[in-house]
Amino acid sequence: MNEKMQRISLSNLENNFLEVEKPLTNQEAIEESNRCLYCYDAPCIKACPTGIDIPTFIKKIASGNFLGSAKTIMSSNPVGASCARVCPTEELCEGACVLNHSTKPIMIGNLQRYATDWAIKNEQSLFQPGVSNGKTVAVIGGGPAGLSAARELARLGYDVTIFEAAEKAGGLNTFGIVSFRLPQEISFWEVEQVEKLNVKIRTNTVVGRDISADKITEDFDNVVLAVGMAHVPNLGVEGENLDGVYDAIEFVKATKNNGLLSQDFVGKRVVVIGAGNTAIDGATCSVRLGAENVKILYRRTEEEMTAYDFEYEFAKQDGVEFRWLTTPKRIIGDESGRVTGIECIKMKLGEPEKDGRRKPVAVEGSEYVIPVDAVVKAIGQTRHLELIEAFGLHHDGGVVKVDQASLQTSNPNIYACGDVVFGKGKGDAMVVTAAQQGKDAAYAIHKQYLAVGVVN
C-alpha cells in the first residue's frame, strides 16, 4: 500500500495518468545496445510476430543511427512505437534472448521505444507511397490491423481508404489502452505515418449506417475487414442497469478524453469483473481516479486469468485486490437507483471446457455481499455480427472464417484480420499479432494481382 501511495496523487489526478515507465536516457540506450550480441539467426527475431530485425535496429542505436533504427522497426511493425510499450516482451523477444542463460535479456522493448520516440520527437516521416497501380482497397477499421494493412497497401501503390467509426483512428491503441502505459500521442503519430502515404481516413463513419456494405464492395476492388471487437456484453444479472455500472472499454476511453478526468471515484469502492488486460486497465484506472479500494472478481483462478503477467504485477503494485473463484450474482442499489453493493457467490472448477480451461461451478450457499460504489464490467467483448452478415461472410458466432494462409474470407475480394478472426481462447490476440495480420492481408491482395499480371 505504501508503494501505491507513492504512485498515486489524490490532489492531481492528471499526474496519475502520465506514462509510468520512464524512457531510457541516451547513455542508458547506448550502453544497453552495446550489450547485444547481434546474434546470427537471432531467436528474438523469430519470437517477434512481426519479424522485426532486432539485432539490426539495436546495432543502429549503438552507432547513433536513430533514424535508421526507427525505420527498421517500423518497416516490420507499422505500430512499433505502441508495441514498444504494450507488447508482452518477456514472453516474446526478450524471453527468447540468449542472454537469459547468462545475465539478463537485452531490454528490447525499451530500446524499441527509444528509437521510435526519437523519430516522434524529431517529426520524422519514415516511408513514401508506392507508384499508383490503379487498384482501390477499403479498410474497415482503423486499429492496429487496419492501419498495418493500409500502410503496406499504400507502399505497394494501392489507393486506400480507411473507414473508422470513432472520431479518431488508432482503435485500441488510441482509446482502449490506459494513458499511463500508452499515451495517445504515440498512436496518433502512427496514424499520421499512414496518412502521409496518401491513405484517406474517414472517421465518424459507421459501415452499415453512414455507408452500406454493398456500396463499399461496389466502389472498391478489395475490402480488408479489420473491425476488431465491439462492446462489453451484459453480465446477465439483476441490477446491471443501475447508476454506477460501467462498460470497461468506455470507462478506459473516458480517461483518454482530452485529459478531462472524473472526480466521482475519489474515495470510492470499485469492483471490476473479469481478469483480462482490459479488466486490469479498468482496475488501475480506478485506482488512478482516486478510488480508495479496488477489487477484481474472477470466476476462475490466477492460473486461468488471461491478463499479461506484467499487467497483473502492475495492478498488485497499485494495491488492486484479487478475489479468485468469485462471480457476481446480482448488483444491489438504493432507492435512487445507485449501486451500493454486489452479491457474489463462490465458485469451484469442474471439467475442462472447449478452450481447455476448467468450467467454474457455483458453490451452493456461499453467497455474500461486498459493499461497492461502482462496478466495471470487463468480461470480454461482443462481435460485429450485423456488419459481418452485411458483407455476407461465413462466420462462427461472429468470428469470420478465413483461409489461414491468405486471410481471404468466403468472398474472394474480402480479407479479414485482427480480433475479428480470433476465436475465444484461440491464438494470441495481441496488438503485435494484429499488426502482422494486417500486413499479411495486404501482401495476400498484392499476390493475387501479381499472379494475374494486373500489377507489377
Side-chain angles (χ1 to χ4, degrees):
M1 191 57 71
N2 287 337
E3 187 170 358
K4 173 189 170 182
M5 297 311 295
Q6 291 170 9
R7 290 155 67 103
I8 306 300
S9 167
L10 296 181
S11 58
N12 191 340
L13 299 184
E14 284 73 19
N15 282 352
N16 298 337
F17 286 83
L18 298 176
E19 197 163 6
V20 171
E21 187 78 21
K22 300 300 180 190
L24 297 177
T25 64
N26 293 346
Q27 185 64 29
E28 287 169 339
I30 298 299
E31 288 177 0
E32 187 65 13
S33 61
N34 278 309
R35 285 183 60 232
C36 183
L37 302 179
Y38 311 123
C39 302
Y40 174 76
D41 199 25
C44 56
I45 300 176
K46 294 177 182 175
C48 174
T50 57
I52 294 172
D53 188 339
I54 293 166
T56 294
F57 97 67
I58 292 178
K59 196 164 192 174
K60 286 179 178 177
I61 292 175
S63 66
N65 181 5
F66 306 136
L67 175 58
S69 180
K71 280 188 173 180
T72 299
I73 294 161
M74 298 297 291
S75 64
S76 291
N77 186 347
V79 289
S82 291
C83 284
R85 290 163 163 85
V86 303
C87 258
T89 52
E90 71 281 359
E91 297 173 24
L92 300 173
C93 52
E94 291 174 18
C97 179
V98 297
L99 290 179
N100 277 294
H101 305 298
S102 54
T103 55
K104 59 181 182 179
I106 299 298
M107 299 165 68
I108 298 169
N110 285 345
L111 288 172
Q112 184 168 319
R113 174 179 168 183
Y114 179 85
T116 51
D117 277 359
W118 182 92
I120 293 167
K121 287 171 189 168
N122 289 277
E123 300 179 347
Q124 297 295 305
S125 296
L126 301 181
F127 306 104
Q128 299 296 321
V131 177
S132 175
N133 61 27
K135 291 295 178 181
T136 59
V137 181
V139 176
I140 317 300
L147 288 173
S148 296
R151 208 276 308 262
E152 292 306 279
L153 286 163
R155 292 177 71 193
L156 291 167
Y158 292 83
D159 181 349
V160 184
T161 302
I162 294 175
F163 293 89
E164 170 56 53
E167 62 270 26
K168 290 186 182 295
L172 178 77
N173 293 358
T174 294
F175 295 112
I177 298 176
V178 289
S179 297
F180 45 88
R181 190 172 302 289
L182 178 59
Q184 272 190 326
E185 58 263 28
I186 307 303
S187 180
F188 290 158
W189 178 76
E190 290 167 339
V191 172
E192 208 175 86
Q193 291 295 302
V194 174
E195 284 185 295
K196 285 179 177 178
L197 301 177
N198 301 324
V199 171
K200 296 175 281 295
I201 303 180
R202 290 178 55 177
T203 54
N204 293 308
T205 304
V206 177
V207 177
R209 183 193 71 190
D210 304 308
I211 184 170
S212 70
D214 287 344
K215 177 69 172 165
I216 286 176
T217 52
E218 286 170 16
D219 290 353
F220 293 87
D221 296 310
N222 290 96
V223 176
V224 176
L225 188 63
V227 290
M229 305 279 272
H231 301 290
V232 176
N234 288 330
L235 298 168
V237 301
E238 177 188 336
E240 67 178 307
N241 294 320
L242 289 167
D243 187 14
V245 180
Y246 301 87
D247 171 318
I249 302 294
E250 295 301 317
F251 183 73
V252 171
K253 183 178 177 180
T255 67
K256 304 189 82 167
N257 185 20
N258 300 320
L260 301 173
L261 298 172
S262 170
Q263 302 286 322
D264 296 343
F265 296 88
V266 176
K268 299 297 174 64
R269 301 158 300 182
V270 179
V271 155
V272 179
I273 302 165
N277 293 318
T278 301
I280 298 287
D281 282 355
T284 51
C285 271
S286 299
V287 171
R288 281 167 163 64
L289 288 170
E292 181 182 303
N293 180 265
V294 181
K295 294 179 175 69
I296 279 184
L297 311 184
Y298 183 48
R299 60 184 183 155
R300 291 187 169 95
T301 71
E302 181 180 354
E303 286 185 11
E304 286 86 18
M305 74 184 298
T306 56
Y308 299 146
D309 288 344
F310 73 84
E311 292 268 23
Y312 178 40
E313 292 304 318
F314 185 83
K316 288 193 290 186
Q317 288 170 20
D318 265 8
V320 175
E321 298 176 26
F322 288 80
R323 295 280 181 95
W324 309 112
L325 292 169
T326 303
T327 200
K329 193 170 181 183
R330 67 186 175 105
I331 301 170
I332 304 164
D334 59 19
E335 296 89 358
S336 62
R338 181 81 200 172
V339 169
T340 59
I342 184 165
E343 183 181 3
C344 303
I345 187 165
K346 297 299 290 181
M347 310 294 283
K348 61 182 178 181
L349 296 181
E351 294 301 312
E353 297 186 286
K354 286 182 181 178
D355 63 5
R357 295 184 298 174
R358 292 164 65 195
K359 183 178 181 179
V361 181
V363 176
E364 193 174 338
S366 64
E367 293 88 348
Y368 67 102
V369 174
I370 302 174
V372 295
D373 305 295
V375 175
V376 180
K377 303 184 295 182
I379 56 167
Q381 291 169 264
T382 57
R383 302 277 175 172
H384 292 284
L385 264 175
E386 284 186 27
L387 177 62
I388 293 164
E389 290 178 349
F391 279 108
L393 305 179
H394 294 169
H395 66 91
D396 181 8
V399 180
V400 175
K401 293 185 175 182
V402 293
D403 177 279
Q404 292 303 312
S406 68
L407 297 174
Q408 200 169 35
T409 69
S410 53
N411 181 328
N413 293 324
I414 300 178
Y415 295 73
C417 54
D419 282 343
V420 77
V421 302
F422 278 117
K424 184 181 178 183
K426 296 177 183 175
D428 297 306
M430 299 178 286
V431 171
V432 67
T433 314
Q436 182 59 37
Q437 284 198 342
K439 288 165 52 187
D440 289 343
Y443 302 149
I445 289 171
H446 192 57
K447 185 178 178 181
Q448 167 193 320
Y449 287 120
L450 282 174
V452 293
V454 174
V455 298
N456 297 318

